[in-house]
PDB file of all heavy atoms in Angstrom:
ATOM      1  N   ILE A 214     104.695  98.576  76.243  1.00  0.00           N
ATOM      2  CA  ILE A 214     105.560  98.254  75.021  1.00  0.00           C
ATOM      3  C   ILE A 214     107.009  98.156  75.381  1.00  0.00           C
ATOM      4  O   ILE A 214     107.701  97.479  74.574  1.00  0.00           O
ATOM      5  CB  ILE A 214     105.249  99.496  73.975  1.00  0.00           C
ATOM      6  CG1 ILE A 214     105.736  98.972  72.616  1.00  0.00           C
ATOM      7  CG2 ILE A 214     106.056 100.645  74.424  1.00  0.00           C
ATOM      8  CD1 ILE A 214     104.874  97.844  72.056  1.00  0.00           C
ATOM      9  N   ILE A 215     107.496  98.773  76.423  1.00  0.00           N
ATOM     10  CA  ILE A 215     108.953  98.664  76.745  1.00  0.00           C
ATOM     11  C   ILE A 215     109.418  97.184  77.014  1.00  0.00           C
ATOM     12  O   ILE A 215     110.430  96.760  76.392  1.00  0.00           O
ATOM     13  CB  ILE A 215     109.187  99.642  77.801  1.00  0.00           C
ATOM     14  CG1 ILE A 215     109.156 101.098  77.319  1.00  0.00           C
ATOM     15  CG2 ILE A 215     110.670  99.386  78.392  1.00  0.00           C
ATOM     16  CD1 ILE A 215     109.427 102.133  78.386  1.00  0.00           C
ATOM     17  N   PRO A 216     108.621  96.437  77.905  1.00  0.00           N
ATOM     18  CA  PRO A 216     109.111  95.068  77.951  1.00  0.00           C
ATOM     19  C   PRO A 216     108.936  94.219  76.685  1.00  0.00           C
ATOM     20  O   PRO A 216     109.692  93.343  76.473  1.00  0.00           O
ATOM     21  CB  PRO A 216     108.157  94.522  79.118  1.00  0.00           C
ATOM     22  CG  PRO A 216     107.694  95.750  79.961  1.00  0.00           C
ATOM     23  CD  PRO A 216     107.657  96.830  78.849  1.00  0.00           C
ATOM     24  N   ILE A 217     107.973  94.558  75.940  1.00  0.00           N
ATOM     25  CA  ILE A 217     107.686  93.832  74.654  1.00  0.00           C
ATOM     26  C   ILE A 217     108.902  94.137  73.705  1.00  0.00           C
ATOM     27  O   ILE A 217     109.402  93.190  73.049  1.00  0.00           O
ATOM     28  CB  ILE A 217     106.355  94.312  73.996  1.00  0.00           C
ATOM     29  CG1 ILE A 217     105.207  93.922  74.776  1.00  0.00           C
ATOM     30  CG2 ILE A 217     106.267  93.674  72.582  1.00  0.00           C
ATOM     31  CD1 ILE A 217     105.016  92.470  75.150  1.00  0.00           C
ATOM     32  N   ALA A 218     109.373  95.376  73.596  1.00  0.00           N
ATOM     33  CA  ALA A 218     110.520  95.682  72.843  1.00  0.00           C
ATOM     34  C   ALA A 218     111.754  94.967  73.300  1.00  0.00           C
ATOM     35  O   ALA A 218     112.567  94.578  72.541  1.00  0.00           O
ATOM     36  CB  ALA A 218     110.692  97.206  72.759  1.00  0.00           C
ATOM     37  N   GLY A 219     111.844  94.875  74.679  1.00  0.00           N
ATOM     38  CA  GLY A 219     112.985  94.223  75.242  1.00  0.00           C
ATOM     39  C   GLY A 219     112.985  92.681  74.929  1.00  0.00           C
ATOM     40  O   GLY A 219     114.037  92.049  74.880  1.00  0.00           O
ATOM     41  N   ALA A 220     111.759  92.160  74.888  1.00  0.00           N
ATOM     42  CA  ALA A 220     111.577  90.659  74.548  1.00  0.00           C
ATOM     43  C   ALA A 220     112.193  90.302  73.214  1.00  0.00           C
ATOM     44  O   ALA A 220     112.362  89.186  72.862  1.00  0.00           O
ATOM     45  CB  ALA A 220     110.165  90.317  74.715  1.00  0.00           C
ATOM     46  N   LEU A 221     112.336  91.282  72.276  1.00  0.00           N
ATOM     47  CA  LEU A 221     112.785  90.961  71.008  1.00  0.00           C
ATOM     48  C   LEU A 221     114.202  90.431  70.973  1.00  0.00           C
ATOM     49  O   LEU A 221     114.694  89.836  70.111  1.00  0.00           O
ATOM     50  CB  LEU A 221     112.625  92.195  70.027  1.00  0.00           C
ATOM     51  CG  LEU A 221     111.204  92.643  69.794  1.00  0.00           C
ATOM     52  CD1 LEU A 221     111.324  94.003  68.903  1.00  0.00           C
ATOM     53  CD2 LEU A 221     110.441  91.631  69.215  1.00  0.00           C
ATOM     54  N   ALA A 222     114.940  90.906  72.038  1.00  0.00           N
ATOM     55  CA  ALA A 222     116.385  90.419  72.144  1.00  0.00           C
ATOM     56  C   ALA A 222     116.439  89.136  72.981  1.00  0.00           C
ATOM     57  O   ALA A 222     117.043  89.114  74.149  1.00  0.00           O
ATOM     58  CB  ALA A 222     117.224  91.497  72.819  1.00  0.00           C
ATOM     59  N   CYS A 223     115.836  88.059  72.439  1.00  0.00           N
ATOM     60  CA  CYS A 223     115.813  86.847  73.174  1.00  0.00           C
ATOM     61  C   CYS A 223     115.250  86.872  74.563  1.00  0.00           C
ATOM     62  O   CYS A 223     115.644  86.129  75.491  1.00  0.00           O
ATOM     63  CB  CYS A 223     117.197  86.164  73.243  1.00  0.00           C
ATOM     64  SG  CYS A 223     117.901  85.865  71.556  1.00  0.00           S
ATOM     65  N   TYR A 224     114.343  87.824  74.768  1.00  0.00           N
ATOM     66  CA  TYR A 224     113.693  88.064  76.089  1.00  0.00           C
ATOM     67  C   TYR A 224     114.602  88.551  77.193  1.00  0.00           C
ATOM     68  O   TYR A 224     114.227  88.826  78.260  1.00  0.00           O
ATOM     69  CB  TYR A 224     112.927  86.774  76.569  1.00  0.00           C
ATOM     70  CG  TYR A 224     111.750  87.037  77.388  1.00  0.00           C
ATOM     71  CD1 TYR A 224     110.618  87.512  76.733  1.00  0.00           C
ATOM     72  CD2 TYR A 224     111.791  87.067  78.854  1.00  0.00           C
ATOM     73  CE1 TYR A 224     109.478  87.722  77.627  1.00  0.00           C
ATOM     74  CE2 TYR A 224     110.653  87.291  79.568  1.00  0.00           C
ATOM     75  CZ  TYR A 224     109.454  87.679  78.928  1.00  0.00           C
ATOM     76  OH  TYR A 224     108.400  87.985  79.686  1.00  0.00           O
ATOM     77  N   ILE A 225     115.900  88.756  76.792  1.00  0.00           N
ATOM     78  CA  ILE A 225     116.813  89.233  77.869  1.00  0.00           C
ATOM     79  C   ILE A 225     116.473  90.680  78.271  1.00  0.00           C
ATOM     80  O   ILE A 225     116.534  91.089  79.367  1.00  0.00           O
ATOM     81  CB  ILE A 225     118.218  89.170  77.389  1.00  0.00           C
ATOM     82  CG1 ILE A 225     118.642  87.670  77.113  1.00  0.00           C
ATOM     83  CG2 ILE A 225     119.247  89.850  78.350  1.00  0.00           C
ATOM     84  CD1 ILE A 225     120.034  87.483  76.565  1.00  0.00           C
ATOM     85  N   GLY A 226     116.099  91.435  77.254  1.00  0.00           N
ATOM     86  CA  GLY A 226     115.676  92.924  77.487  1.00  0.00           C
ATOM     87  C   GLY A 226     114.528  92.963  78.361  1.00  0.00           C
ATOM     88  O   GLY A 226     114.489  93.876  79.360  1.00  0.00           O
ATOM     89  N   ALA A 227     113.462  92.100  78.191  1.00  0.00           N
ATOM     90  CA  ALA A 227     112.259  92.159  79.041  1.00  0.00           C
ATOM     91  C   ALA A 227     112.678  91.750  80.451  1.00  0.00           C
ATOM     92  O   ALA A 227     112.170  92.361  81.419  1.00  0.00           O
ATOM     93  CB  ALA A 227     111.285  91.274  78.441  1.00  0.00           C
ATOM     94  N   LEU A 228     113.571  90.808  80.633  1.00  0.00           N
ATOM     95  CA  LEU A 228     114.051  90.371  81.936  1.00  0.00           C
ATOM     96  C   LEU A 228     114.665  91.514  82.638  1.00  0.00           C
ATOM     97  O   LEU A 228     114.437  91.775  83.828  1.00  0.00           O
ATOM     98  CB  LEU A 228     114.889  89.167  81.817  1.00  0.00           C
ATOM     99  CG  LEU A 228     115.403  88.519  83.221  1.00  0.00           C
ATOM    100  CD1 LEU A 228     114.175  88.069  84.009  1.00  0.00           C
ATOM    101  CD2 LEU A 228     116.402  87.425  82.944  1.00  0.00           C
ATOM    102  N   LEU A 229     115.490  92.288  81.964  1.00  0.00           N
ATOM    103  CA  LEU A 229     116.241  93.346  82.538  1.00  0.00           C
ATOM    104  C   LEU A 229     115.176  94.527  82.969  1.00  0.00           C
ATOM    105  O   LEU A 229     115.345  95.054  84.066  1.00  0.00           O
ATOM    106  CB  LEU A 229     117.260  94.005  81.594  1.00  0.00           C
ATOM    107  CG  LEU A 229     118.504  93.112  81.372  1.00  0.00           C
ATOM    108  CD1 LEU A 229     119.361  93.765  80.263  1.00  0.00           C
ATOM    109  CD2 LEU A 229     119.271  92.887  82.715  1.00  0.00           C
ATOM    110  N   VAL A 230     114.190  94.668  82.160  1.00  0.00           N
ATOM    111  CA  VAL A 230     113.197  95.658  82.442  1.00  0.00           C
ATOM    112  C   VAL A 230     112.359  95.252  83.741  1.00  0.00           C
ATOM    113  O   VAL A 230     112.166  96.108  84.705  1.00  0.00           O
ATOM    114  CB  VAL A 230     112.075  95.824  81.297  1.00  0.00           C
ATOM    115  CG1 VAL A 230     110.930  96.708  81.772  1.00  0.00           C
ATOM    116  CG2 VAL A 230     112.831  96.441  80.122  1.00  0.00           C
TER     117      VAL A 230
END
Side-chain angles (χ1 to χ4, degrees):
I214 200 63
I215 289 180
I217 296 298
L221 298 178
C223 301
Y224 209 77
I225 296 177
L228 182 61
L229 290 176
V230 171

